[in-house]
Amino acid sequence: MIWDIFNYIGIAAFAISGAMMAMEETYDLFGVYVLGFVTTFGGGVIRNILIGLPASMLWEQKIAIYTALTAITITIITPMLWLRMWKRLLVLFDAIGLSAFSIQGALFAVDQRLPIHAIMVASVLTGIGGGLIRDVLAGRKPLLLKEDVYAVWSMLSGFIIGLHKEITDVELFFVFILVVTMRMISVHYQLKLPLKIVWHN
């Protein structure tokens, strides 16, 4: 039950972030729903394709789909001033979503008996893939590839789970808390990866 709650919080957060970006780019109503939906589920679909699972598994997640559509609808009818106030709280929800989605992706790969590097890729794609697609569709440079350390924490969860494939629920919970904590610390202190490497002769 607790994992379901975390997962649905993440679904709502990702759906809201996609919808908000679409509204900032003055997309029409259909565009807002598309961007919110893609942000939520795009990474999981790509992950499924890469690890040999059917992309159609998405349509089996009825509660998740309804959660995303509800979150998008609420975002649309909420005054923009309130949405700006929500942004700080959305960072926490986003961190919860990143952690829950990353762990989910890693576990899917473990079930497929994939090697650790594939588990890490599955974790990253599930955690940040939707955000990458969102940025591209919105015509923005993906911050996740530019300077944000967002992907690092997603990769960390995949690495830990890949090392301990028989990981227990208690250990998974500690991984979850670790990723959420590191994500919030990186936001608070504005941690970034180096923009470029200077090579010396």
Side-chain angles (χ1 to χ4, degrees):
M1 177 62 72
I2 190 67
W3 286 112
D4 287 340
I5 292 173
F6 289 149
N7 194 45
Y8 292 133
I9 288 175
I11 288 169
F14 286 176
I16 291 170
S17 72
M20 288 179 64
M21 183 172 290
M23 292 166 67
E24 290 172 359
E25 296 293 330
T26 64
Y27 282 26
D28 63 15
L29 189 62
F30 179 73
V32 174
Y33 276 101
V34 168
L35 203 60
F37 194 83
V38 167
T39 303
T40 308
F41 300 107
V45 170
I46 296 174
R47 174 208 66 213
N48 287 354
I49 293 172
L50 286 181
I51 68 175
L53 294 173
S56 59
M57 284 181 61
L58 165 65
W59 308 118
E60 300 172 7
Q61 304 177 57
K62 293 182 179 179
I63 298 179
I65 292 173
Y66 295 150
T67 300
L69 293 176
T70 300
I72 295 168
T73 302
I74 292 173
T75 303
I76 291 171
I77 64 178
T78 300
M80 188 57 70
L81 178 61
W82 291 11
L83 290 178
R84 294 193 182 100
M85 294 171 59
W86 287 1
K87 273 194 171 182
R88 296 185 66 179
L89 186 60
L90 190 61
V91 172
L92 173 60
F93 288 168
D94 185 71
I96 292 173
L98 171 71
S99 187
F101 277 35
S102 298
I103 290 172
Q104 178 197 76
L107 292 177
F108 268 114
V110 169
D111 287 342
Q112 295 297 108
R113 300 183 183 280
L114 297 176
I116 187 170
H117 57 273
I119 294 171
M120 292 171 65
V121 169
S123 180
V124 171
L125 283 177
T126 311
I128 73 168
L132 289 175
I133 299 172
R134 174 201 64 205
D135 292 345
V136 171
L137 291 180
R140 301 185 180 186
K141 291 182 178 180
L143 290 178
L144 304 178
L145 297 180
K146 186 179 178 183
E147 58 188 48
D148 204 314
V149 295
Y150 202 90
V152 173
W153 311 131
S154 181
M155 190 178 299
L156 175 64
S157 65
F159 178 73
I160 295 173
I161 293 172
L163 284 179
H164 307 281
K165 295 181 181 179
E166 301 298 327
I167 194 167
T168 66
D169 286 343
V170 173
E171 291 169 332
L172 279 177
F173 185 74
F174 278 108
V175 174
F176 173 83
I177 295 298
L178 173 65
V179 174
V180 171
T181 301
M182 295 309 298
R183 174 57 184 161
M184 294 304 295
I185 289 174
S186 65
V187 170
H188 180 75
Y189 291 103
Q190 298 182 335
L191 302 180
K192 299 178 181 180
L193 294 174
L195 292 178
K196 62 181 178 179
I197 298 176
V198 179
W199 296 96
H200 297 282
N201 293 328

